[in-house]
Amino acid sequence: MTELAIFVGGLLGLMMIGLPVVVAIGVTSFIALAVTGAGGLPVELLSLRMVQTLNNFTLLAIPLFILAANIMNLGSTTTRIFDFATALVGFTRGGLGHANVVASSIFATMSGTAVADAAGLGSIEIKAMKERGYALDYTTGITATSSVVGPILPPSIALVVYGWLANVSIGGLFMAGLLPGILMAALLMGMTVFLGATGRVKMPEPTPFDGGEVLRTGQRAMLPLLMPAIIVGGIWGGFFTPTEAGAIASLYAIVLGGVIYRDLTLKSLYDAFRRTLMFSAVILLIIAVSSFYGWILVRMGIPQALAGQVASLDMPTFALLICFALFFLLIGCFMSVIESILIFTPIVVPAALTAGLDPIHFGIVMVITLSIGVITPPFGTVLFMMVSITKLRYGQVVKAVLPFLIPVILAILLLIAIPGLATWLPEVMGY
């Protein structure tokens, strides 16, 4: 497995010395070609492979969903969603903690990424909880961790990339992410109940339930809440593909902010398109170079050799998935979700399929475990965002997040032990 050591070890080594991910992937690919004696391939093959990769209708979903999230972040949509979630569950002890999770889960069905969730709702949630007297460390921990639901619930950008690479139905993956996402949200809310009941966190007295407030805020949030129903319902009903769902979500966000609520100006719309262009360009460039990396992997037979090694292991499915999950947890600490999926999917999916694992179930486990990386040191992007919002030190933010890793890891263990959490809904929906 010398080639595998070159591919993975060389790549991680180049990234550790500070090279950008896209450069590290490209250099590793050329090193592998030279070392294995395949350096006679024409250089033009690299550019042709990259262009061919990006000429893909499925990948168009990525910038479209990013655009929808950016537009939603600019107007009053996030405030409307949080106000509704607060009215809905804020009457319970730790109510704003529950509202935090509910609002993040709702927004996740519009944004598809943890960073967009934290950026869109983070400051609103933390400000509201501080004003109500919640401890800042608890507020920071629940806000950061609830953003992890973003890459699990549809329309998850990570699931789009995994589905494209693994040749798995993206609609099926979207359906598969629903129950695990809801489970994780429920466990996070359960952690809030536990912390309050045991006195580990002092919770303010709950406000009385107000049905009128639920109706009022629900009416204000009704149109934003329709977006998840349109996306999921449209894909499930066969009215449009996931890529077309991204276009419809973007158009819906523009109409909502620019025509109905009128809090979206031409300047802010331009800013949304500019941020989308910059973020999408980075992701798509990495995807393009990663495709060449993956093509060389397959050409050298590395995934097939690894699959043979895995197939020879006398190990139960549960234990094998635990090993994969531990590997992904480690990788997620040092690489972003998208980068990790692009690099490791061509390597590990053939091995998982050879071992008899369901590709949809495996994909959900992979995405969830990698997603924890956004709230783990040393490179968790959401951690740095929380430092910026709360003005706490980095170490204080990490300490605040630690208790909430328990329900997240418990959700992963339940998902591994009960594959039906991921596979039942796609089967019912006909995927």
Side-chain angles (χ1 to χ4, degrees):
M1 303 295 284
T2 306
E3 294 88 351
L4 181 61
I6 294 172
F7 265 94
V8 179
L11 177 62
L12 295 179
L14 290 172
M15 291 175 60
M16 287 176 65
I17 65 173
L19 282 181
V21 173
V22 66
V23 176
I25 294 172
V27 171
T28 303
S29 300
F30 280 110
I31 291 174
L33 281 175
V35 170
T36 57
L41 290 173
V43 177
E44 292 83 357
L45 184 63
L46 171 61
S47 58
L48 289 173
R49 185 69 195 176
M50 291 172 63
V51 171
Q52 182 186 8
T53 297
L54 295 181
N55 187 21
N56 188 295
F57 182 69
T58 301
L59 292 181
L60 190 58
I62 296 174
L64 289 172
F65 280 124
I66 292 172
L67 175 62
N70 283 334
I71 294 172
M72 285 288 193
N73 274 337
L74 291 173
S76 61
T77 300
T78 49
T79 304
R80 292 169 185 267
I81 291 172
F82 184 69
D83 289 345
F84 173 64
T86 301
L88 194 63
V89 296
F91 64 93
T92 59
R93 182 168 294 277
L96 283 192
H98 299 317
N100 191 316
V101 176
V102 171
S104 292
S105 300
I106 293 172
F107 192 73
T109 59
M110 306 175 192
S111 65
T113 66
V115 174
D117 190 324
L121 283 168
S123 57
I124 297 172
E125 293 168 337
I126 289 173
K127 180 176 181 292
M129 294 180 74
K130 283 174 63 178
E131 290 175 350
R132 283 287 304 276
Y134 285 84
L136 186 56
D137 56 348
Y138 165 76
T139 300
T140 303
I142 191 68
T143 302
T145 312
S146 64
S147 69
V148 176
V149 180
I152 305 167
L153 293 172
S156 165
I157 302 300
L159 290 178
V160 171
V161 177
Y162 171 83
W164 167 68
L165 282 170
N167 196 26
V168 177
S169 166
I170 293 173
L173 287 167
F174 280 0
M175 297 301 125
L178 282 172
L179 289 182
I182 293 170
L183 172 66
M184 185 178 291
L187 290 174
L188 285 172
M189 294 171 74
M191 189 64 178
T192 289
V193 173
F194 171 79
L195 292 174
T198 57
R200 296 172 186 269
V201 174
K202 185 179 179 181
M203 301 289 181
E205 287 298 316
T207 57
F209 177 75
D210 186 345
E213 182 69 5
V214 173
L215 292 176
R216 186 186 70 82
T217 56
Q219 185 178 20
R220 290 185 72 242
M222 182 177 64
L223 292 179
L225 292 175
L226 283 177
M227 182 183 282
I230 292 171
I231 293 172
V232 176
I235 294 173
W236 171 57
F239 295 105
F240 39 75
T241 66
T243 300
E244 292 164 345
I248 290 170
S250 297
L251 178 62
Y252 187 79
I254 292 173
V255 172
L256 207 60
V259 179
I260 299 177
Y261 296 146
R262 297 187 178 182
D263 51 16
L264 183 66
T265 64
L266 287 176
K267 183 181 183 302
S268 60
L269 184 61
Y270 168 78
D271 289 338
F273 273 96
R274 182 177 57 83
R275 283 199 298 271
T276 301
L277 179 63
M278 294 174 65
F279 189 59
S280 300
V282 172
I283 292 178
L284 293 175
L285 179 59
I286 295 173
I287 288 175
V289 178
S290 297
S291 69
F292 188 63
Y293 178 90
W295 179 81
I296 297 172
L297 276 174
V298 174
R299 189 175 186 274
M300 295 178 176
I302 293 175
Q304 297 89 325
L306 184 62
Q309 294 286 336
V310 172
S312 66
L313 295 175
D314 185 16
M315 185 182 292
T317 301
F318 179 81
L320 184 61
L321 272 173
I322 290 290
C323 292
F324 274 122
L326 290 173
F327 172 72
F328 294 141
L329 283 171
L330 177 63
I331 292 299
C333 292
F334 300 95
M335 300 173 64
S336 75
V337 179
I338 301 298
E339 292 165 357
S340 303
I341 291 173
L342 285 167
I343 292 168
F344 292 103
T345 296
I347 299 174
V348 299
V349 168
L353 295 179
T354 303
L357 301 179
D358 183 273
I360 288 181
H361 180 220
F362 182 78
I364 299 298
V365 171
M366 182 178 184
V367 168
I368 291 180
T369 50
L370 287 173
S371 298
I372 298 178
V374 301
I375 55 170
T376 54
F379 301 125
T381 51
V382 171
L383 295 179
F384 291 108
M385 198 172 292
M386 290 298 106
V387 170
S388 175
I389 293 173
T390 63
K391 308 305 179 186
L392 293 173
R393 294 192 304 273
Y394 181 77
Q396 292 176 305
V397 173
V398 172
K399 185 178 178 181
V401 167
L402 287 178
F404 295 97
L405 291 177
I406 297 172
V408 173
I409 292 173
L410 179 58
I412 294 172
L413 292 174
L414 288 172
L415 177 60
I416 292 174
I418 311 172
L421 287 171
T423 59
W424 176 74
L425 199 54
E427 289 172 359
V428 170
M429 298 295 187
Y431 289 100

